[in-house]
Structures are given as C-alpha cells and as structure tokens.
Amino acid sequence: MAQTITQKIFAKAANRKFVDPGQSVWLNVDVLLTHDVCGPPTFDIFKQEFGPDAKVWDPEKVVVLPDHYIFTANEHAHRNIDLLRKFAAEQHLPNYYDVGTDRYRGVCHVALAEEGFNLPGTVLFGTDSHTCTSGAFGMFGSGIGNTDAAFILGTGKLWEKVPDSMKFTFEGQMPEYLTAKDLILQILGDIGTDGATYRAMEFDGEAVYSLPIDERMTLCNMAIEAGGMNGIIAADAVTEAFVKARTSKPYEIFQSDPDAQYHSMYRYNVEKLEPVVAQPHSPDNRATVRSVAGTPITKSYIGSCTGGKITDFRLAAKILKGKKVAVTTNIVPATVLVASQLENEMYDGQTLRHIFEEAGCNIALPSCAACLGGPSDTVGRSVDNDVVVSTTNRNFPGRMGSKMAGVYLASPLTAAASAVTGKLTDPRDFL
Amino acid sequence: MDTIIQGKAYVLGKNIDTDQIIPAEHLVYSLSDPEEVKLYGKYALSGVPLEQAGLPEGKIPFVEEGQFTSPYSFIIGGPNFGCGSSREHAPFALKVAGAKAIIAESYARIFYRNCVDGGFVIPYETTQQLNKTVMTGDELSLDMEKNTLTNLTQNITYELRPLGDVVNIVQAGGIFEYARKNDLMASSSEA
C-alpha cells in the first residue's frame, strides 16, 4: 500500500506495516526536546503524575536546551534555569546544555541539528511549536504542550492522528535573490495560516534539494505558521553528509511512494517567484517586496531559528559589505557555533562579524532574543509603534514585544537591504 | 462533570494566537505556586489589540484592571483559534481567569490538544460564524449532551459540532486521568 514519508515514519514508530491518515496511533518517541519556558512546568506535571521519585523513561532521549529567556535580569526567568539544572541533575540527563557553561548552545532547533539529534526516519516531539524545523532531516518533528511532554517523559509514548500530507514542489534553479524564506512565505500567502492544520507539509523538487540544510530548516520551521503538524523533506546526500559529520547513531531513510495519496499538491517554478514579505499582522499577509518598497521601517532584525543560521548571515553580509545601516539593526546568531562562524568566516576579505560591525549593526549573544518579545530588557524587543523588518517566523500582534508595533517577515537579503535604506527594499536593488 | 454551563460571552476575531492569549513576557511565572498562578488570570488575553478586544464594540478587557478573574465564562472566536506557539500557559491562563469553554470555527492543533489533554477549557467547534452574531456580554448556555449553545439574551439556539473522539478525555478531565482509567500509563500500543 502506497504511503507518504510521514506515514512511513508513523508506521515504523507505531510498529505497524502501514497507517492511514485520520487513524490514531501511539508513537514511540526517539527524542523529547524542552527548553527554559516549558521545561519547568513539564517537570512539575511529570512529578505530580508519576510521583516525586519517578525516573524519566530514557535519560539519553531527553534534550534540554535553555534558549528563550537567557540574557535578562528577570528573576523568574533565572528561576526557570535553576529548575532545569535541578531536574537535569536529579535525573542524570546527559543532554542538558546549561547556560553560563561551555555546554551552552543557543536556539534549540538549530542546536539539535548541530549536536546530531536530528536523524532521518525518527520521531521528535518538543515543547516548542517550531519543533517542525527538524523535518528538514527527513524525520517527524512536531510541537506539543507541557502535559503531553510530561506524558512522554514518563512513558516514552504519545498518541497522534496520522496526518494527511500536502505536497509542495519547487522546480527550477534558485535565483540568487531568493531564499527559503521567500518560498515558505509564498506558500503561506497561498494557503493561509490554517491551510495545513493537522496535516504534514512535504517539500520536494529540484530547487528544494539545491538548498543547504539550514535553508531546508527554514522551510520546515514555518510549517507551523500554516498550522501544519510537521514539515518534511526526504533525506538526500546533503542530509547524510551533515548527519554523519555529527553522529554515528543509526537511522533509516524513507521516501514517499510515487503513487502515495496527497490531500493536495502545489507546484511552483522558482524562476518565476519574487522576493516577498509577510505584512503585519499575520504570516500569510503576503506582498511582493516591490509592491511595498519604500515603506519606512524603524528596525531590522536578523536572527532566530528561522533567520539566525550561518546561511542567513552569509546572505546578509553580501548586501551589508561596505554599507552603513540607516536604522537599528540587530544581528542575533542562533547558536554559539553560528556566533563563532561569524568570527571566522570570510566574505570578500573580511569576517562576517567585521562586515556587520562596520555597517553599524548590534551583534547580540546567541539566543531566541526578541523573536517572541520576552522580558522587557530583552535585546531588540519592539517598543511603541516600531515598524520592524524581521527574519523571524511570526508577526501576530505583539509578537516581538509591542502590540502597537508592526512586523514585516522577510528573508535575510530583504532585511539587510531594508536596513541600508531605512525602508522596505527589494534585495535585487543591491545584487 | 456538569453537562450544562451557563455564563457570559466574550467575543474575539480570527487567528487569536497564543501571544495574544498570554504574551511571552508573562510566561515566567510558576504554574504551580498559587500566588503566581493568579497572574496568569490577570494577564489572560491581555495581548489582544484594544479595538479587537470584546467584539463587536471592542475596547472591553477580558479581565478588568486590578482583577485576577474574568466575568466571562465563554470565549467566542473565529477560525484558527490558538494558532502560534505550543505554550500550554495559554489554555491554562484562560482557565485561571475563569473561562469554561471556547466556541470557535476551528483551532490550531497544539492549542486544541493542550485544551483537551490538560483538561483546561472545553474547545467546541461551530460551523457558523458565531463571532459575528453573538455580542460580548450575551448570556449563553451550553448543553454538552445535546451539543447546543443557546444565546439567552438573543433567544437563539446554535448547533455545535460534537467533540468526537476527544469527548472521553474531556469528560475524564485530561489525558492522565483518561490514561489511568483506560490502563494506558504502563504500556500503550493501540489507541
């Protein structure tokens, strides 16, 4: 019986030969991810339900990456870190990446990839909606709440309905002015913020497979912005090279059968697409950058799990080299590794960090920072009626701090070009 | 659990995301310390832009300044209620504020799961655009056996979609209570 890649992973995790969309199954979980916002309440529920001396089902499979509210004076935020520390020590969790130590990594979705936790064919649940990012590795990744995470901590299992799949094929050669962010914003404009609710979003096509792994992560990251349960890209040689450089754990590669059933299929030719933004206040409020060019902005923000990876900064550096920014521009590397790559990678005779500093950008410490607002002292947080062009993934009212502010979601090329002019600017004007 | 719930309606628009339900700056409070838990009630729905808060007129806070609970038991929403982040603090905050049920055209998956599995608020779906007819402050009565919602102020009864498979988890009060009742905590191979 023909199945999609997501069905095949569900079948394997549920010990079945095949599963049908709509069917509820119990999945064996390979990795549970949590962070500083949702870890403490998850651990509370775990102890309340399984007993004060209960042990997690498998300490090797629990990954705890503090990243959301790290660099703040907020005492409640600090308490959350203390609670993570205490639980990790009690449970002897080997995969706890404590802030303030050399184990600290940064944004969880990017760190999972760097540390070799993303393995084709496996099942990852995380207490963060953007856990779907890991689907870029041909695996199932999805976000859950504290109660479901506590259930996994105790049992290693969770029930899910097998999703229908939607297929998005991008044909053609990626033009230099387009990025994965433009592709996913294109889809969001077409299907809406609930266009994929309870479904898998499968990405395919020559253009997708020409993308480096961190760009593929951006595509899958924003599946949740269409309501998707997961985003997924079948593993290829690029995926395998990335994974094998980081772990020797076994994995299994699944492909969708050619005659698998899809809820719907979309085809795009990337050579006909343009740079786009999502206008305030919804990720599906798409416009071409050309059509809104000239709109004044007050800030530019290049960071987050969607826009703070090394490829994002390589693209931004191409535009910012030798230029000055006209508005406050925050550069927020997702992880410590990305921050060190900014120091070491050269573009046209200068390090990326040097290019950003000369352009007048603020370079922040690696974390989620202002992507989601956070405590009032969070770097880059929007205030009052700010108009921000941002490489983050969500622009509902108040997302970056102020509910009077407006956020335009954009590619790192568009965010960099707009930073230079102080108004929304098509990156083709600089390339 | 009670099969009839009666109370006042608080009406919202489409795409009410979890940042509007409980803004990120408030996610730092404990969900178990009774004094801090009250703050989730205080800030429930505080991220909704003023003109869209309490439709059709707007500018009606869900929780009055200085209060920790809301006078509204029902939240009436449009499509895609609860989209955005996975924070379970969102349905938790609504419960702490005193909300009993949400009636919306559709829900985002994680929020819906959190409402049901955590036993916080009951998420009913409707095929009608109830947020266009119900007005903030209307007195409503929900009958969970008949799956109907009666607007006592306007004297109209609306049909709701039955809760379906999740009704057993809702009635048990959450996934843990349900799992214990059905002997699913130790080993679970079928659902």
Side-chain angles (χ1 to χ4, degrees):
Chain A
M1 191 176 174
Q3 298 186 96
T4 65
I5 179 171
T6 300
Q7 280 173 272
K8 288 182 184 180
I9 296 170
F10 265 62
K12 183 190 175 202
N15 291 321
R16 293 171 187 229
K17 278 213 162 61
F18 58 83
V19 292
D20 288 317
Q23 185 180 5
S24 284
V25 292
W26 285 91
L27 300 173
N28 291 310
V29 178
D30 293 295
V31 172
L32 176 73
L33 160 75
T34 191
H35 52 47
D36 53 313
V37 176
C38 294
T42 296
F43 301 151
D44 269 357
I45 298 169
F46 168 73
K47 290 198 169 179
Q48 186 187 310
E49 300 293 341
F50 293 94
D53 301 320
K55 292 286 170 218
V56 303
W57 102 101
D58 186 342
E60 294 282 341
K61 294 181 173 176
V62 181
V63 182
V64 185
L65 286 153
D67 57 358
H68 277 58
Y69 309 142
I70 301 302
F71 305 115
T72 165
N74 186 291
E75 61 185 65
H76 288 129
H78 289 182
R79 179 181 61 186
N80 271 13
I81 305 291
D82 288 339
L83 291 167
L84 294 184
R85 242 169 233 154
K86 188 163 164 258
F87 189 80
E90 267 173 29
Q91 299 281 337
H92 305 288
L93 301 182
N95 303 312
Y96 173 54
Y97 294 90
D98 202 355
V99 62
T101 74
D102 60 8
R103 283 182 60 76
Y104 176 67
R105 290 294 179 269
V107 178
C108 58
H109 313 297
V110 184
L112 278 176
E114 290 172 357
E115 295 297 306
F117 291 107
N118 287 344
L119 290 169
T122 59
V123 169
L124 163 77
F125 282 104
T127 61
D128 189 290
S129 62
H130 294 107
T131 304
C132 52
T133 309
S134 295
F137 291 78
M139 59 188 283
F140 176 82
S142 193
I144 51 171
N146 307 333
T147 299
D148 283 345
F151 194 91
I152 294 174
L153 270 184
T155 66
K157 292 169 193 289
L158 192 66
W159 72 272
E160 272 289 1
K161 256 186 196 160
V162 181
D164 260 321
S165 291
M166 299 170 82
K167 190 170 186 173
F168 301 88
T169 306
F170 288 94
E171 290 163 342
Q173 297 251 320
M174 274 297 270
E176 63 161 352
Y177 50 81
L178 277 194
T179 71
K181 177 59 79 64
D182 298 292
L183 305 189
I184 190 67
L185 290 179
Q186 184 71 32
I187 292 174
L188 281 161
D190 289 343
I191 70 171
T193 51
D194 57 357
T197 299
Y198 237 114
R199 298 196 197 108
M201 295 175 76
E202 187 176 321
F203 305 103
D204 195 7
E206 179 193 359
V208 169
Y209 284 104
S210 74
L211 295 173
I213 204 86
D214 54 0
E215 279 280 271
R216 298 183 194 184
M217 289 166 72
T218 298
L219 262 184
C220 292
N221 176 287
M222 290 182 69
I224 185 64
E225 307 314 331
M229 185 194 281
N230 65 311
I232 196 159
I233 299 169
D236 67 354
V238 172
T239 327
E240 287 207 81
F242 189 97
V243 169
K244 283 188 172 143
R246 284 157 186 83
T247 180
S248 53
K249 287 182 207 147
Y251 57 84
E252 189 174 356
I253 291 181
F254 295 101
Q255 307 277 350
S256 292
D257 292 319
D259 52 345
Q261 293 291 307
Y262 287 90
H263 168 272
S264 46
M265 293 169 95
Y266 294 77
R267 290 189 103 80
Y268 298 89
N269 182 340
V270 290
E271 291 161 42
K272 292 182 177 155
L273 297 178
E274 285 195 59
V276 287
V277 291
Q279 306 169 91
H281 297 281
S282 183
D284 62 355
N285 193 12
R286 182 190 68 210
T288 61
V289 183
R290 281 249 197 273
S291 71
V292 291
T295 306
I297 58 166
T298 60
K299 279 179 181 157
S300 177
Y301 188 95
I302 305 178
S304 88
C305 49
T306 325
K309 302 182 295 301
I310 189 60
T311 301
D312 299 301
F313 293 118
R314 284 178 188 144
L315 294 167
K318 258 165 103 166
I319 291 192
L320 291 173
K321 172 90 172 59
K323 311 254 185 3
K324 293 275 181 214
V325 296
V327 293
T328 301
T329 299
N330 290 296
I331 299 280
V332 192
T335 62
V336 171
L337 178 63
V338 175
S340 74
Q341 287 170 311
L342 296 187
E343 311 262 1
N344 300 323
E345 271 210 25
M346 307 290 284
Y347 175 72
D348 201 10
Q350 278 184 311
T351 66
L352 300 181
R353 188 183 176 95
H354 194 184
I355 292 169
F356 298 142
E357 280 173 347
E358 278 209 334
C361 306
N362 304 325
I363 303 180
L365 294 168
S367 81
C368 298
C371 172
L372 74 168
S376 57
D377 59 352
T378 304
V379 62
R381 203 173 184 276
S382 68
V383 292
D384 303 331
N385 298 303
D386 262 337
V387 179
V388 189
V389 60
S390 177
T391 64
T392 55
N393 42 32
R394 193 170 280 158
N395 63 343
F396 290 118
R399 172 68 176 178
M400 290 186 77
S402 166
K403 62 181 174 181
M404 279 111 73
V407 176
Y408 287 84
L409 304 179
S411 79
L413 291 173
T414 302
S418 306
V420 171
T421 61
K423 48 200 184 206
L424 291 178
T425 300
D426 192 306
R428 283 173 288 189
D429 296 352
F430 284 92
L431 291 168
Chain B
M1 69 186 295
D2 294 337
T3 56
I4 306 271
I5 301 171
Q6 192 173 325
K8 288 192 191 312
Y10 187 77
V11 183
L12 294 166
K14 65 178 182 180
N15 294 337
I16 297 298
D17 80 304
T18 50
D19 281 272
Q20 293 178 67
I21 299 171
I22 184 79
E25 65 192 289
H26 300 304
L27 301 181
V28 293
Y29 320 129
S30 164
L31 284 84
S32 50
D33 177 273
E35 281 307 303
E36 285 186 43
V37 162
K38 286 189 196 166
L39 296 172
Y40 284 104
K42 179 181 168 85
Y43 293 112
L45 288 171
S46 65
V48 179
L50 258 189
E51 56 280 10
Q52 290 152 45
L55 299 175
E57 288 179 15
K59 298 188 180 169
I60 303 169
F62 182 61
V63 177
E64 291 285 345
E65 184 70 34
Q67 300 294 307
F68 296 92
T69 56
S70 169
Y72 306 101
S73 307
F74 290 99
I75 295 162
I76 309 293
N80 204 25
F81 196 95
C83 55
S85 94
S86 66
R87 64 189 70 161
E88 195 163 293
H89 313 64
F92 181 84
L94 296 177
K95 181 189 178 168
V96 172
K100 301 274 188 273
I102 307 169
I103 321 281
E105 284 162 64
S106 63
Y107 294 88
R109 164 187 159 265
I110 307 176
F111 179 82
Y112 186 87
R113 273 189 83 108
N114 287 346
C115 286
V116 170
D117 284 0
F120 299 117
V121 281
I122 304 162
Y124 260 106
E125 282 186 336
T126 164
T127 52
Q128 294 156 283
Q129 291 185 305
L130 288 192
N131 66 339
K132 299 282 197 290
T133 55
V134 177
M135 294 167 71
T136 295
D138 281 359
E139 188 74 18
L140 305 179
S141 176
L142 169 71
D143 185 328
M144 291 188 58
E145 275 181 4
K146 292 184 184 156
N147 294 310
T148 57
L149 182 74
T150 300
N151 188 330
L152 302 168
T153 306
Q154 298 185 26
N155 199 21
I156 315 171
T157 295
Y158 317 101
E159 298 282 328
L160 302 176
R161 279 214 180 109
L163 290 170
D165 293 349
V166 303
V167 73
N168 297 322
I169 305 176
V170 169
Q171 278 172 352
I175 189 72
F176 281 104
E177 290 77 1
Y178 173 78
R180 264 192 282 271
K181 263 190 188 168
N182 292 278
D183 212 17
L184 295 169
M185 292 276 274
S187 69
S188 322
S189 55
E190 297 282 321

